[in-house]
Short mmCIF file of all heavy atoms in Angstrom, two decimals:
data_model
loop_
_atom_site.label_atom_id
_atom_site.label_comp_id
_atom_site.label_asym_id
_atom_site.label_seq_id
_atom_site.Cartn_x
_atom_site.Cartn_y
_atom_site.Cartn_z
N MET A 135 86.95 -7.57 3.09
CA MET A 135 87.35 -8.35 4.26
C MET A 135 88.39 -7.60 5.09
O MET A 135 88.37 -7.70 6.31
CB MET A 135 87.88 -9.71 3.78
CG MET A 135 88.16 -10.66 4.89
SD MET A 135 86.61 -11.09 5.71
CE MET A 135 87.09 -12.48 6.62
N THR A 136 89.25 -6.86 4.41
CA THR A 136 90.27 -6.09 5.12
C THR A 136 89.63 -5.04 6.01
O THR A 136 90.08 -4.80 7.13
CB THR A 136 91.22 -5.42 4.12
OG1 THR A 136 91.81 -6.44 3.32
CG2 THR A 136 92.31 -4.65 4.81
N ASP A 137 88.55 -4.41 5.51
CA ASP A 137 87.86 -3.40 6.31
C ASP A 137 87.27 -4.01 7.58
O ASP A 137 87.33 -3.41 8.65
CB ASP A 137 86.75 -2.74 5.50
CG ASP A 137 87.27 -1.80 4.44
OD1 ASP A 137 88.43 -1.37 4.54
OD2 ASP A 137 86.52 -1.50 3.50
N LEU A 138 86.69 -5.19 7.45
CA LEU A 138 86.10 -5.86 8.62
C LEU A 138 87.17 -6.17 9.66
O LEU A 138 86.99 -5.91 10.85
CB LEU A 138 85.38 -7.14 8.20
CG LEU A 138 84.82 -7.98 9.34
CD1 LEU A 138 83.77 -7.21 10.12
CD2 LEU A 138 84.26 -9.28 8.82
N LEU A 139 88.28 -6.71 9.21
CA LEU A 139 89.36 -7.04 10.15
C LEU A 139 89.94 -5.79 10.79
O LEU A 139 90.27 -5.78 11.99
CB LEU A 139 90.45 -7.85 9.44
CG LEU A 139 90.02 -9.24 8.98
CD1 LEU A 139 91.15 -9.90 8.18
CD2 LEU A 139 89.61 -10.10 10.14
N THR A 140 90.05 -4.72 10.02
CA THR A 140 90.53 -3.45 10.58
C THR A 140 89.57 -2.93 11.64
O THR A 140 89.99 -2.47 12.71
CB THR A 140 90.70 -2.41 9.46
OG1 THR A 140 91.63 -2.91 8.50
CG2 THR A 140 91.21 -1.09 10.01
N ALA A 141 88.27 -3.00 11.35
CA ALA A 141 87.27 -2.55 12.32
C ALA A 141 87.33 -3.37 13.60
O ALA A 141 87.24 -2.82 14.71
CB ALA A 141 85.88 -2.62 11.70
N LEU A 142 87.49 -4.69 13.47
CA LEU A 142 87.58 -5.54 14.66
C LEU A 142 88.84 -5.23 15.47
O LEU A 142 88.80 -5.20 16.70
CB LEU A 142 87.55 -7.02 14.25
CG LEU A 142 86.21 -7.52 13.72
CD1 LEU A 142 86.37 -8.95 13.19
CD2 LEU A 142 85.15 -7.45 14.77
N ALA A 143 89.94 -4.99 14.77
CA ALA A 143 91.18 -4.65 15.47
C ALA A 143 91.04 -3.33 16.21
O ALA A 143 91.51 -3.20 17.35
CB ALA A 143 92.34 -4.58 14.47
N LEU A 144 90.39 -2.35 15.60
CA LEU A 144 90.18 -1.07 16.28
C LEU A 144 89.27 -1.22 17.49
O LEU A 144 89.49 -0.59 18.53
CB LEU A 144 89.59 -0.05 15.30
CG LEU A 144 90.57 0.52 14.29
CD1 LEU A 144 89.82 1.34 13.24
CD2 LEU A 144 91.62 1.37 14.98
N MET A 145 88.25 -2.07 17.37
CA MET A 145 87.35 -2.31 18.49
C MET A 145 88.12 -2.92 19.67
O MET A 145 87.96 -2.50 20.81
CB MET A 145 86.23 -3.25 18.07
CG MET A 145 85.23 -3.55 19.16
SD MET A 145 84.10 -4.87 18.76
CE MET A 145 85.20 -6.27 18.78
N VAL A 146 88.98 -3.89 19.39
CA VAL A 146 89.78 -4.52 20.44
C VAL A 146 90.72 -3.49 21.07
O VAL A 146 90.89 -3.45 22.30
CB VAL A 146 90.55 -5.72 19.88
CG1 VAL A 146 91.57 -6.24 20.88
CG2 VAL A 146 89.59 -6.83 19.49
N ALA A 147 91.34 -2.64 20.25
CA ALA A 147 92.24 -1.62 20.77
C ALA A 147 91.50 -0.63 21.67
O ALA A 147 91.98 -0.29 22.76
CB ALA A 147 92.92 -0.88 19.61
N LEU A 148 90.33 -0.17 21.23
CA LEU A 148 89.57 0.78 22.04
C LEU A 148 89.10 0.15 23.36
O LEU A 148 89.18 0.78 24.42
CB LEU A 148 88.37 1.29 21.26
CG LEU A 148 88.70 2.24 20.12
CD1 LEU A 148 87.46 2.52 19.28
CD2 LEU A 148 89.30 3.52 20.64
N GLU A 149 88.64 -1.07 23.29
CA GLU A 149 88.21 -1.74 24.53
C GLU A 149 89.40 -1.94 25.46
O GLU A 149 89.27 -1.75 26.68
CB GLU A 149 87.55 -3.07 24.21
CG GLU A 149 86.91 -3.68 25.43
CD GLU A 149 86.02 -4.87 25.11
OE1 GLU A 149 85.74 -5.13 23.94
OE2 GLU A 149 85.62 -5.55 26.08
N GLY A 150 90.53 -2.31 24.92
CA GLY A 150 91.72 -2.48 25.74
C GLY A 150 92.14 -1.18 26.41
O GLY A 150 92.55 -1.18 27.58
N MET A 151 92.01 -0.07 25.68
CA MET A 151 92.36 1.22 26.27
C MET A 151 91.41 1.56 27.43
O MET A 151 91.85 2.10 28.45
CB MET A 151 92.31 2.33 25.22
CG MET A 151 93.46 2.27 24.26
SD MET A 151 93.63 3.64 23.08
CE MET A 151 92.03 4.29 22.88
N LEU A 152 90.14 1.22 27.29
CA LEU A 152 89.19 1.48 28.38
C LEU A 152 89.57 0.69 29.62
O LEU A 152 89.53 1.23 30.74
CB LEU A 152 87.77 1.13 27.94
CG LEU A 152 87.13 2.07 26.94
CD1 LEU A 152 85.78 1.53 26.49
CD2 LEU A 152 86.96 3.46 27.53
N TYR A 153 89.92 -0.58 29.45
CA TYR A 153 90.32 -1.39 30.60
C TYR A 153 91.62 -0.88 31.21
O TYR A 153 91.80 -0.92 32.43
CB TYR A 153 90.47 -2.86 30.21
CG TYR A 153 89.16 -3.59 30.12
CD1 TYR A 153 88.58 -3.87 28.89
CD2 TYR A 153 88.49 -4.00 31.26
CE1 TYR A 153 87.37 -4.53 28.79
CE2 TYR A 153 87.28 -4.66 31.19
CZ TYR A 153 86.73 -4.93 29.96
OH TYR A 153 85.53 -5.58 29.88
N ALA A 154 92.54 -0.41 30.39
CA ALA A 154 93.81 0.08 30.89
C ALA A 154 93.66 1.41 31.62
O ALA A 154 94.29 1.64 32.65
CB ALA A 154 94.81 0.23 29.74
N LEU A 155 92.81 2.30 31.09
CA LEU A 155 92.68 3.63 31.67
C LEU A 155 91.68 3.70 32.83
O LEU A 155 91.85 4.50 33.74
CB LEU A 155 92.25 4.62 30.58
CG LEU A 155 93.28 4.86 29.47
CD1 LEU A 155 92.66 5.71 28.36
CD2 LEU A 155 94.52 5.52 30.02
N PHE A 156 90.62 2.89 32.77
CA PHE A 156 89.55 2.96 33.77
C PHE A 156 89.17 1.58 34.28
O PHE A 156 88.02 1.15 34.12
CB PHE A 156 88.31 3.63 33.15
CG PHE A 156 88.59 4.93 32.48
CD1 PHE A 156 88.57 5.02 31.10
CD2 PHE A 156 88.88 6.07 33.21
CE1 PHE A 156 88.83 6.22 30.46
CE2 PHE A 156 89.14 7.28 32.58
CZ PHE A 156 89.12 7.35 31.20
N PRO A 157 90.10 0.85 34.92
CA PRO A 157 89.76 -0.51 35.36
C PRO A 157 88.62 -0.56 36.37
O PRO A 157 87.75 -1.42 36.30
CB PRO A 157 91.06 -1.05 35.95
CG PRO A 157 91.89 0.15 36.24
CD PRO A 157 91.47 1.21 35.28
N GLY A 158 88.59 0.40 37.28
CA GLY A 158 87.51 0.42 38.27
C GLY A 158 86.16 0.73 37.63
O GLY A 158 85.14 0.14 37.99
N GLY A 159 86.15 1.65 36.70
CA GLY A 159 84.92 1.98 36.00
C GLY A 159 84.40 0.82 35.18
O GLY A 159 83.18 0.58 35.12
N MET A 160 85.31 0.08 34.56
CA MET A 160 84.89 -1.08 33.77
C MET A 160 84.32 -2.17 34.68
O MET A 160 83.35 -2.82 34.33
CB MET A 160 86.06 -1.61 32.94
CG MET A 160 86.52 -0.65 31.85
SD MET A 160 85.23 -0.23 30.66
CE MET A 160 85.12 -1.74 29.76
N GLN A 161 84.93 -2.36 35.85
CA GLN A 161 84.39 -3.34 36.79
C GLN A 161 83.00 -2.93 37.25
O GLN A 161 82.10 -3.76 37.35
CB GLN A 161 85.32 -3.49 38.00
CG GLN A 161 86.57 -4.27 37.69
CD GLN A 161 87.49 -4.35 38.89
OE1 GLN A 161 87.56 -3.42 39.70
NE2 GLN A 161 88.20 -5.46 39.00
N ALA A 162 82.82 -1.64 37.52
CA ALA A 162 81.51 -1.15 37.94
C ALA A 162 80.48 -1.36 36.83
O ALA A 162 79.34 -1.77 37.09
CB ALA A 162 81.59 0.32 38.32
N MET A 163 80.86 -1.10 35.59
CA MET A 163 79.93 -1.29 34.48
C MET A 163 79.59 -2.77 34.30
O MET A 163 78.44 -3.10 33.96
CB MET A 163 80.52 -0.72 33.19
CG MET A 163 80.51 0.79 33.18
SD MET A 163 80.92 1.50 31.59
CE MET A 163 79.66 0.82 30.56
N MET A 164 80.57 -3.66 34.54
CA MET A 164 80.29 -5.09 34.44
C MET A 164 79.30 -5.54 35.52
O MET A 164 78.43 -6.37 35.27
CB MET A 164 81.57 -5.90 34.52
CG MET A 164 82.37 -5.89 33.23
SD MET A 164 83.77 -7.01 33.29
CE MET A 164 85.04 -5.90 33.82
N ARG A 165 79.44 -4.96 36.73
CA ARG A 165 78.49 -5.30 37.80
C ARG A 165 77.08 -4.85 37.43
O ARG A 165 76.11 -5.57 37.65
CB ARG A 165 78.93 -4.66 39.12
CG ARG A 165 80.03 -5.41 39.83
CD ARG A 165 80.24 -4.91 41.25
NE ARG A 165 80.78 -3.55 41.29
CZ ARG A 165 82.08 -3.25 41.21
NH1 ARG A 165 82.97 -4.21 41.10
NH2 ARG A 165 82.48 -2.00 41.27
N VAL A 166 76.97 -3.65 36.87
CA VAL A 166 75.66 -3.14 36.45
C VAL A 166 75.08 -4.04 35.35
O VAL A 166 73.90 -4.41 35.39
CB VAL A 166 75.77 -1.68 35.96
CG1 VAL A 166 74.48 -1.23 35.29
CG2 VAL A 166 76.12 -0.76 37.12
N ALA A 167 75.91 -4.40 34.37
CA ALA A 167 75.43 -5.26 33.28
C ALA A 167 75.01 -6.63 33.80
O ALA A 167 74.01 -7.19 33.36
CB ALA A 167 76.51 -5.39 32.21
N ALA A 168 75.78 -7.17 34.74
CA ALA A 168 75.46 -8.50 35.28
C ALA A 168 74.13 -8.49 36.04
O ALA A 168 73.47 -9.52 36.13
CB ALA A 168 76.58 -8.98 36.19
N ALA A 169 73.75 -7.34 36.57
CA ALA A 169 72.51 -7.25 37.32
C ALA A 169 71.28 -7.08 36.42
O ALA A 169 70.15 -7.18 36.90
CB ALA A 169 72.59 -6.08 38.31
N GLN A 170 71.50 -6.83 35.15
CA GLN A 170 70.38 -6.61 34.24
C GLN A 170 69.78 -7.93 33.77
O GLN A 170 70.50 -8.92 33.60
CB GLN A 170 70.84 -5.82 33.01
CG GLN A 170 71.40 -4.46 33.32
CD GLN A 170 70.43 -3.58 34.05
OE1 GLN A 170 69.26 -3.47 33.69
NE2 GLN A 170 70.89 -2.97 35.13
N PRO A 171 68.48 -7.94 33.52
CA PRO A 171 67.88 -9.16 32.97
C PRO A 171 68.35 -9.37 31.53
O PRO A 171 68.68 -8.42 30.83
CB PRO A 171 66.37 -8.89 33.02
CG PRO A 171 66.22 -7.43 33.27
CD PRO A 171 67.50 -6.91 33.82
N PRO A 172 68.39 -10.64 31.09
CA PRO A 172 68.86 -10.93 29.73
C PRO A 172 68.11 -10.16 28.64
O PRO A 172 68.72 -9.75 27.65
CB PRO A 172 68.64 -12.43 29.59
CG PRO A 172 68.68 -12.95 30.98
CD PRO A 172 68.09 -11.85 31.83
N ALA A 173 66.82 -9.95 28.82
CA ALA A 173 66.05 -9.24 27.79
C ALA A 173 66.54 -7.80 27.62
O ALA A 173 66.60 -7.28 26.50
CB ALA A 173 64.56 -9.24 28.15
N THR A 174 66.93 -7.17 28.71
CA THR A 174 67.45 -5.80 28.65
C THR A 174 68.79 -5.77 27.92
O THR A 174 69.03 -4.90 27.08
CB THR A 174 67.60 -5.22 30.06
OG1 THR A 174 66.33 -5.24 30.71
CG2 THR A 174 68.13 -3.80 30.03
N LEU A 175 69.65 -6.73 28.24
CA LEU A 175 70.94 -6.81 27.56
C LEU A 175 70.77 -7.09 26.08
O LEU A 175 71.47 -6.53 25.23
CB LEU A 175 71.82 -7.88 28.21
CG LEU A 175 72.25 -7.61 29.65
CD1 LEU A 175 72.99 -8.80 30.21
CD2 LEU A 175 73.08 -6.35 29.74
N ARG A 176 69.82 -7.97 25.75
CA ARG A 176 69.55 -8.30 24.35
C ARG A 176 69.09 -7.06 23.59
O ARG A 176 69.55 -6.77 22.49
CB ARG A 176 68.52 -9.41 24.26
CG ARG A 176 68.25 -9.88 22.84
CD ARG A 176 67.32 -11.08 22.80
NE ARG A 176 67.97 -12.25 23.40
CZ ARG A 176 67.57 -12.85 24.50
NH1 ARG A 176 66.49 -12.44 25.13
NH2 ARG A 176 68.22 -13.89 24.97
N LEU A 177 68.16 -6.31 24.18
CA LEU A 177 67.66 -5.10 23.54
C LEU A 177 68.77 -4.07 23.35
O LEU A 177 68.90 -3.46 22.28
CB LEU A 177 66.51 -4.50 24.36
CG LEU A 177 65.90 -3.21 23.81
CD1 LEU A 177 65.33 -3.44 22.41
CD2 LEU A 177 64.85 -2.69 24.75
N ALA A 178 69.59 -3.88 24.38
CA ALA A 178 70.71 -2.94 24.28
C ALA A 178 71.68 -3.37 23.19
O ALA A 178 72.17 -2.54 22.41
CB ALA A 178 71.43 -2.82 25.62
N GLY A 179 71.95 -4.67 23.10
CA GLY A 179 72.84 -5.18 22.07
C GLY A 179 72.27 -4.99 20.67
O GLY A 179 72.99 -4.59 19.74
N LEU A 180 70.98 -5.25 20.51
CA LEU A 180 70.35 -5.06 19.21
C LEU A 180 70.34 -3.59 18.81
O LEU A 180 70.60 -3.26 17.63
CB LEU A 180 68.93 -5.61 19.23
CG LEU A 180 68.80 -7.12 19.22
CD1 LEU A 180 67.35 -7.53 19.45
CD2 LEU A 180 69.30 -7.68 17.90
N LEU A 181 70.07 -2.70 19.76
CA LEU A 181 70.10 -1.27 19.46
C LEU A 181 71.50 -0.81 19.08
O LEU A 181 71.68 -0.05 18.12
CB LEU A 181 69.57 -0.47 20.64
CG LEU A 181 68.07 -0.56 20.89
CD1 LEU A 181 67.70 0.13 22.20
CD2 LEU A 181 67.30 0.03 19.74
N ALA A 182 72.51 -1.26 19.82
CA ALA A 182 73.88 -0.88 19.52
C ALA A 182 74.30 -1.39 18.14
O ALA A 182 74.95 -0.67 17.37
CB ALA A 182 74.83 -1.40 20.60
N ALA A 183 73.94 -2.63 17.83
CA ALA A 183 74.28 -3.19 16.52
C ALA A 183 73.59 -2.43 15.40
O ALA A 183 74.19 -2.14 14.36
CB ALA A 183 73.90 -4.67 16.48
N THR A 184 72.32 -2.08 15.61
CA THR A 184 71.58 -1.33 14.60
C THR A 184 72.19 0.05 14.37
O THR A 184 72.39 0.47 13.22
CB THR A 184 70.10 -1.18 15.02
OG1 THR A 184 69.55 -2.49 15.18
CG2 THR A 184 69.31 -0.41 14.00
N VAL A 185 72.52 0.73 15.45
CA VAL A 185 73.16 2.05 15.32
C VAL A 185 74.50 1.91 14.61
O VAL A 185 74.84 2.72 13.73
CB VAL A 185 73.32 2.72 16.71
CG1 VAL A 185 74.22 3.94 16.63
CG2 VAL A 185 71.96 3.10 17.26
N GLY A 186 75.28 0.90 14.96
CA GLY A 186 76.57 0.69 14.31
C GLY A 186 76.44 0.43 12.82
O GLY A 186 77.19 0.99 12.01
N VAL A 187 75.47 -0.40 12.43
CA VAL A 187 75.26 -0.69 11.01
C VAL A 187 74.81 0.57 10.28
O VAL A 187 75.30 0.88 9.18
CB VAL A 187 74.25 -1.84 10.83
CG1 VAL A 187 73.79 -1.95 9.39
CG2 VAL A 187 74.86 -3.15 11.29
N LEU A 188 73.87 1.30 10.87
CA LEU A 188 73.39 2.53 10.22
C LEU A 188 74.49 3.58 10.08
O LEU A 188 74.60 4.24 9.05
CB LEU A 188 72.20 3.09 10.99
CG LEU A 188 70.92 2.27 10.91
CD1 LEU A 188 69.85 2.86 11.83
CD2 LEU A 188 70.42 2.15 9.49
N LEU A 189 75.31 3.73 11.12
CA LEU A 189 76.43 4.67 11.03
C LEU A 189 77.42 4.25 9.95
O LEU A 189 77.91 5.08 9.19
CB LEU A 189 77.14 4.78 12.38
CG LEU A 189 76.49 5.68 13.41
CD1 LEU A 189 77.21 5.55 14.76
CD2 LEU A 189 76.52 7.12 12.95
N THR A 190 77.72 2.97 9.88
CA THR A 190 78.64 2.47 8.87
C THR A 190 78.07 2.70 7.47
O THR A 190 78.78 3.16 6.57
CB THR A 190 78.92 0.97 9.07
OG1 THR A 190 79.46 0.79 10.38
CG2 THR A 190 79.91 0.46 8.05
N TRP A 191 76.80 2.43 7.30
CA TRP A 191 76.14 2.64 6.01
C TRP A 191 76.18 4.11 5.62
O TRP A 191 76.48 4.47 4.49
CB TRP A 191 74.72 2.13 6.11
CG TRP A 191 73.91 2.20 4.85
CD1 TRP A 191 74.36 2.02 3.58
CD2 TRP A 191 72.51 2.44 4.75
NE1 TRP A 191 73.33 2.15 2.70
CE2 TRP A 191 72.17 2.40 3.37
CE3 TRP A 191 71.51 2.69 5.68
CZ2 TRP A 191 70.88 2.60 2.93
CZ3 TRP A 191 70.22 2.88 5.21
CH2 TRP A 191 69.92 2.83 3.87
N TRP A 192 75.92 4.99 6.60
CA TRP A 192 75.92 6.43 6.34
C TRP A 192 77.33 6.93 6.00
O TRP A 192 77.51 7.71 5.06
CB TRP A 192 75.36 7.15 7.56
CG TRP A 192 75.33 8.63 7.43
CD1 TRP A 192 74.59 9.37 6.56
CD2 TRP A 192 76.09 9.58 8.18
NE1 TRP A 192 74.83 10.71 6.74
CE2 TRP A 192 75.76 10.86 7.74
CE3 TRP A 192 77.03 9.44 9.21
CZ2 TRP A 192 76.31 12.01 8.27
CZ3 TRP A 192 77.58 10.58 9.74
CH2 TRP A 192 77.22 11.84 9.28
N ILE A 193 78.33 6.49 6.77
CA ILE A 193 79.71 6.95 6.55
C ILE A 193 80.25 6.44 5.22
O ILE A 193 80.88 7.19 4.47
CB ILE A 193 80.60 6.49 7.71
CG1 ILE A 193 80.23 7.26 8.99
CG2 ILE A 193 82.08 6.69 7.39
CD1 ILE A 193 80.83 6.69 10.26
N ARG A 194 80.01 5.16 4.93
CA ARG A 194 80.56 4.56 3.71
C ARG A 194 79.77 4.95 2.46
O ARG A 194 80.22 4.73 1.35
CB ARG A 194 80.60 3.04 3.85
CG ARG A 194 81.45 2.55 5.01
CD ARG A 194 82.89 2.71 4.78
NE ARG A 194 83.31 1.67 3.84
CZ ARG A 194 84.55 1.46 3.51
NH1 ARG A 194 85.50 2.18 4.03
NH2 ARG A 194 84.85 0.53 2.66
N GLY A 195 78.57 5.48 2.68
CA GLY A 195 77.75 5.97 1.57
C GLY A 195 77.36 4.88 0.62
O GLY A 195 77.23 4.99 -0.54
#
């Protein structure tokens, strides 16, 4: 459980750094994402989740 909470905290920190360093770029990316159909966002989310799980499985062995 500690690993999960640590991973979530790191995710929040990294996302916060992106907003702090590139606010205009993040706004532009949000506009692009908002223009996408839900099916495209769903597929992108599923692919990202799958890659994340596979990377975690590979790293943790």
